[in-house]
């Protein structure tokens, strides 16, 4: 599809510039598609040609674009050529465009539309480890973790579809002083009976209660420190209670993940890397990277000139490790265990500095594979509330999406009688939640809006499901009708062309 047109345009350029097509093809890409605006199909970057030595690196870029565009002639494949802001835009013959883009669909057994593109032949494939979701143990799944779960799952699915061996990891927040508070609080306010009835709700209530007490009572704070020390020293009773909290939480989370259509290969956590974190400290010390600050903390100097203007704290003054120390240990351990070719962390944008420092320290420790580690950041969800307006837990959001969708379905005159309307409402409601999350720019915050999310028209998950259902219905009702000869001239209106332009661009996006 895309490669047919790219080869033809590259051949045209090759004849004009007297250069090999292979040198010119990389400079050609699909043009971004905009709503309600006609766009060209391909663009040629003059700057790329300058960087490759095809065109002189000096002179006005726009003038070079205009001069080259003037030398290129339209033909049966390319019907329009124009120059704009250092780019040359190519619009291909519309009838041929429709015909070539839909050609793969003639083989109805081909379920990998676009994935057989020649553009993907040189894609590097290997083992990809994706860390995402990563909620905190002994707490209900907060809705704030929804974006990491959805985006991380999408990345993992995409990498797998492109032929990578994907390891899906959930790195749980299962260590830290909060467990000292929870352990001490459970001894005072907890009930094993309530823990069996509604595990995470009870733990949440205990945590809120002990936090209030700790604000005003030094004895409670001391009890929390004592419990966490027992935990770090692997004392049986403390570890047993912590393990119970962890097992309960993972079990509850798995139920929510199942509703979202998400699964993990590995449930890992900070607790697994305590000992290894101390080994990391020793390695930093032996390499001369660990310095002691005026406050007595252990720091690594990351400033370019080594003047201490930018440091990362990896050790408290009492010698205990921090989150980043355990992250360093976890990264080294994963490389040794899974031999990944790339590792992707999916968290919100507030952790960008943390991951920059993490990768910098790994490189300084002599781990060149840190170059293949990547942080995919995203913006925050604002205003996500249930009807009660209380602390938002993801399960409550999923329940409310189902309830609201069920109500909307019951009010619609076009809703057909269903065998299991609750199951349909669940699936449509969750798809609406996912589509709303994908609609905006990745790193922008967005305001959650129940009414807009569940609309049956526009760019919503509900409309997407409705359209899919309509298309499936059309196929079922016309199964016995012989297929007519395909006539591409029937799909020349702008709305059809826009959809095909999106499909054209997908192969280019998957190369990135």
């Amino acid at each position: 599809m895309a490669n047919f047109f790219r080869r033809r345009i590259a051949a045209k350029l090759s004849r004009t510039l007297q250069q090999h097509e292979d040198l010119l093809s990389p400079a050609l890409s699909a043009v971004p598609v905009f709503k309600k605006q006609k766009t060209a199909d391909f663009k040629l970057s003059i700057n790329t040609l300058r960087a490759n030595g095809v065109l002189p690196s000096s002179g006005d870029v726009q003038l070079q674009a205009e001069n080259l565009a003037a030398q290129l002639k339209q033909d049966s494949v390319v019907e329009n050529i124009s120059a704009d802001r250092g780019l040359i835009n190519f619009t291909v013959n519309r009838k041929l465009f429709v015909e070539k883009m839909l050609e793969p669909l003639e083989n109805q057994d081909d379920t990998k539309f676009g994935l057989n593109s020649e553009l993907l032949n040189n894609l590097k494939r290997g083992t990809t480890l994706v860390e995402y979701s990563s909620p905190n143990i002994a707490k209900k799944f907060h809705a704030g973790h929804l974006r990491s779960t959805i985006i991380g799952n999408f990345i993992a699915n995409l990498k797998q579809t492109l032929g990578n061996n994907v390891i899906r990891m959930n790195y749980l927040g299962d260590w830290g002083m909060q467990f000292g508070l929870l352990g001490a609080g459970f001894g005072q306010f907890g009930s094993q009976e309530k823990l069996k009835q509604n595990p995470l709700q009870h733990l949440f209530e205990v945590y809120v209660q002990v936090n209030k007490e700790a604000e005003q009572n030094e004895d409670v704070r001391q009890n929390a420190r004592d419990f966490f020390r027992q935990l770090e020293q692997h004392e049986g009773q403390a570890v047993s209670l912590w393990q119970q909290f962890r097992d309960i939480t993972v079990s509850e989370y798995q139920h929510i993940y199942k509703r979202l259509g998400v699964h993990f290969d590995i449930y890992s956590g900070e607790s697994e890397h305590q000992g290894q974190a101390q080994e990391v400290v020793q390695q930093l010390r032996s390499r001369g990277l660990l310095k002691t600050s005026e406050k007595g903390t252990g720091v690594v100097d990351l400033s370019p000139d080594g003047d201490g203007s930018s440091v990362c704290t990896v050790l408290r003054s009492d010698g205990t490790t921090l989150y980043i120390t355990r992250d360093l240990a976890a990264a080294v351990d994963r490389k040794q265990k899974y031999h990944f070719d790339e590792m992707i962390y999916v968290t919100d944008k507030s952790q960008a500095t943390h991951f920059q420092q993490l990768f910098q320290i790994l490189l300084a420790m002599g781990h060149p594979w840190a170059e293949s580690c990547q942080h995919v950041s995203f913006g925050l969800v604002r205003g996500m509330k249930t009807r009660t307006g209380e602390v938002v837990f993801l399960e409550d959001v999923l329940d409310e999406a189902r309830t609201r969708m069920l109500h909307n379905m019951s009010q619609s005159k076009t809703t057909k009688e269903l065998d299991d309307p609750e199951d349909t409402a669940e699936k449509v409601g969750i798809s609406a939640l996912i589509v709303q999350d994908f609609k905006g720019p990745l790193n922008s915050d967005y305001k959650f809006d129940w009414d807009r999310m569940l609309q049956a028209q526009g760019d919503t998950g509900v409309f997407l499901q409705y359209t899919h259902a309509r298309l499936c219905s059309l196929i079922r009702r016309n199964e016995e009708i012989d297929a007519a000869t395909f006539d591409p001239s029937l799909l020349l209106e702008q709305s059809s062309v826009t959809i095909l332009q999106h499909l054209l661009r997908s192969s280019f996006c998957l190369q990135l």
Side-chain angles (χ1 to χ4, degrees), residues 128-130 132 156 160 165-170 262-268 338:
T128 300
L129 193 154
V130 188
Y132 58 106
Q160 187 172 326
N165 170 39
V166 175
I167 300 168
R168 301 161 187 260
M169 178 177 284
N170 198 337
V262 172
H263 74 277
F264 293 93
D265 302 307
I266 300 160
Y267 282 87
S268 179
Y338 307 113

Side-chain angles (χ1 to χ4, degrees), residues 46-58:
I46 295 299
N47 279 329
T48 303
L49 294 185
R50 286 166 64 133
N52 292 343
V54 175
L55 291 176
S57 57
S58 59

